[in-house]
Amino acid sequence: MWCPDELIVAPATVAGPGLRGIVRLAGQGLAPLLNRLLEIPAPGLAAAGSPPRLVRARLAAAGLADSWGALPVDVLYWPGPGGPVGGPLAELQLPSSGPLLAAVVTAVCGLGGRLARGGEFTLRAFLAGRLDLVQAEAVLAVVDARSPDELALALDRLAAGAGVGLQAVRNTLLDLLADIEAAIDFADETAPDAVPVTPHWDDVAARISQCDEAITAVATGLAARDAAAADLPRVVLVGPPNVGKSSLFNALIGHAAALVADEPGTTRDWLEARLGADEAPCILVDLPGLVDPGADPSDAVSTAAQAHAQTECGRAAAVIVCRDATGGASSFEPPMALPQIDVLTRCDRSHSVRGLGLGIETSSLTGIGIDELRRSIRETVARLPPRGSPATVRLAVGCQTARAGLAAAARSVAGDWVDESLVASHLRRAADAVAEVTGTAIGTDVLDRIFSRHCIGK
């Protein structure tokens, strides 16, 4: 387990142009180190137990100022024990220069600090109780967000709604466990002030139901936001020009959306449509025919179409490789190593390659193989890895385990004869599952895996 008191440092802004760059530091001995690194005017850094303070300093003349001059440095300093990581923390705001930030980090390491591991600042905030595990993993989701929807979802989690709700559920479960286990422990007591030995099982059942509803609300809400934020997997029709991809696209979605003609190059843009309802849905994409990379497109529009087709292939989760039955066994290969479905098109026009196992034999005109192809797409999409983040998957599994424990406890309480020990066992299982989701109780090896995925400086 990482030591929460070591003095660590890392750049906290991405490399590249910008107005300001930030170097983040945390750990014991931070104030003396900053006083050696910088010239800090009176009254100096905030004392322990004081609110954070912004100090306008300069690089120390006896240190980095020799090479960089007396550059101004804004220091935002949390003295601890409060603050984001529960101990001393500082952010040095400097001109955005990669070499300058690297020089500051190197100087800090020379004064006794070390480079932070990925996610170490967030881990310290978690260990100090400033974040629960749902929030901590949301930090990584903020960094990795690829769209406004994904960013909004990550920020929602960072705002602590899910973690606070689940922690309240765990507290209720622990209270229930305490009541039931006290009744078990004191069942033989006969003193007037003894703990009541018979819990009110109707009240227990109601509280179990409330916990189940709360967990369901958290899981449902986050799953709904995940579904909105994450794109459905994209399944792309690829192949040379004029092999019947657009006709196949129309047949699969059930209506004529793509323009169909016998001339090569009819499809200049990409078309997409949702395929499948509730079971393994995906986005089906029809692309322009992919030409040999060494070939010269005939015009600027074709050039743009080919570039866009390659981009769409890069977004694909799976590809449907189309070959024309009338053209024999094509040597065309898909542009990426992805799950693929091989298809022969226009099988109503030729029988020369049918039955050779070259792919699903289809005809958009007669409907041959269309249902089989839809089924194959559905099975391929169902086998794809989960699209949710590891945090989302872990949250879903934890909530499912907790709900299973609550359901078992509810069944035990509803019987004519109640076994207190069995009810307590089921409730403990639910409480433990919630504790793992929020990080209240989780192994150090799991924590290392979770936080090591974070960027250095976060």
Side-chain angles (χ1 to χ4, degrees):
M1 192 66 179
W2 301 333
C3 175
D5 296 326
E6 284 185 288
L7 206 158
I8 58 174
V9 61
T13 46
V14 297
L19 293 176
R20 306 291 280 170
I22 295 176
V23 174
R24 185 171 292 149
L25 308 91
Q28 296 303 316
L30 178 56
L33 183 145
L34 291 175
N35 281 307
R36 295 175 62 187
L37 183 71
L38 307 169
E39 293 180 356
I40 301 174
L45 300 170
S50 302
R53 180 184 300 168
L54 179 64
V55 178
R56 302 194 183 280
R58 292 183 179 276
L59 295 178
L64 290 174
D66 283 344
S67 301
W68 294 91
L71 289 176
V73 181
D74 289 343
V75 184
L76 184 57
Y77 181 74
W78 289 266
V85 297
L89 172 72
E91 289 189 349
L92 310 185
Q93 301 179 11
L94 308 111
S96 181
S97 162
L100 173 60
L101 299 183
V104 170
V105 171
T106 301
V108 170
C109 292
L111 293 173
R114 67 164 173 82
L115 186 64
R117 301 180 179 92
E120 192 163 3
F121 289 97
T122 308
L123 174 60
R124 293 190 179 191
F126 166 75
L127 294 175
R130 302 299 188 266
L131 300 173
D132 62 35
L133 198 54
V134 176
Q135 291 174 282
E137 290 182 307
V139 174
L140 179 62
V142 168
V143 174
D144 288 344
R146 299 168 298 173
S147 69
D149 284 338
E150 288 186 1
L151 179 60
L153 173 64
L155 292 174
D156 278 356
R157 291 186 178 177
L158 199 54
V164 168
L166 290 174
Q167 188 58 45
V169 169
R170 182 170 182 265
N171 289 337
T172 299
L173 292 174
L174 293 177
D175 289 342
L176 275 173
L177 271 170
D179 293 344
I180 295 171
E181 291 184 350
I184 296 171
D185 292 340
F186 291 95
D188 295 332
E189 293 287 344
T190 57
D193 59 349
V195 177
V197 299
T198 306
H200 196 303
W201 293 116
D202 288 342
D203 177 61
V204 170
R207 294 166 74 183
I208 290 174
S209 178
Q210 291 170 0
C211 290
D212 182 70
E213 290 174 0
I215 293 176
T216 301
V218 169
T220 301
L222 290 175
R225 288 302 305 273
D226 274 343
D231 295 331
L232 290 175
R234 301 174 74 81
V235 178
V236 178
L237 291 158
V238 298
N242 200 32
V243 295
K245 296 187 303 298
S246 295
S247 296
L248 192 60
F249 177 85
N250 291 341
L252 287 168
I253 66 173
H255 62 274
L259 179 63
V260 176
D262 285 335
E263 290 76 15
T266 302
T267 303
R268 295 297 187 96
D269 203 354
W270 55 272
L271 289 175
E272 64 178 47
R274 178 174 173 136
L275 188 65
D278 299 326
E279 184 181 358
C282 65
I283 299 297
L284 185 67
V285 182
D286 178 31
L287 296 181
L290 296 174
V291 299
D292 188 327
D296 292 327
S298 58
D299 53 48
V301 175
S302 297
T303 301
Q306 287 297 307
H308 201 102
Q310 294 292 341
T311 300
E312 280 300 313
C313 286
R315 299 175 61 193
V319 292
I320 302 173
V321 180
C322 299
R323 297 178 173 86
D324 191 347
T326 64
S330 170
S331 62
F332 174 82
E333 294 297 333
M336 295 182 66
L338 293 170
Q340 79 177 56
I341 303 170
D342 293 308
V343 171
L344 284 178
T345 62
R346 300 174 176 168
C347 287
D348 57 291
R349 298 188 181 184
S350 173
H351 297 275
S352 59
V353 294
R354 294 185 62 180
L356 299 180
L358 299 177
I360 298 174
E361 299 172 0
T362 67
S363 167
S364 303
L365 180 64
T366 66
I368 295 172
I370 300 302
D371 288 341
E372 182 183 353
L373 178 55
R374 285 198 192 100
R375 183 168 57 253
S376 181
I377 294 171
R378 187 165 58 246
E379 293 171 352
T380 300
V381 170
R383 288 193 298 266
L384 292 173
R387 294 180 65 79
S389 68
T392 301
V393 175
R394 194 177 55 79
L395 176 63
V397 171
C399 288
Q400 183 180 12
T401 302
R403 291 196 64 205
L406 291 174
R411 288 193 298 270
S412 298
V413 170
D416 294 333
W417 177 79
V418 179
D419 184 335
E420 292 96 335
S421 298
L422 184 60
V423 175
S425 174
H426 293 318
L427 292 178
R428 190 176 298 107
R429 174 189 173 196
D432 289 347
V434 174
E436 289 196 6
V437 169
T438 60
T440 307
I442 192 168
T444 57
D445 55 339
V446 178
L447 286 178
D448 284 347
R449 284 181 178 272
I450 290 171
F451 286 95
S452 65
R453 303 196 323 267
H454 286 54
C455 297
I456 293 176
K458 296 296 181 283

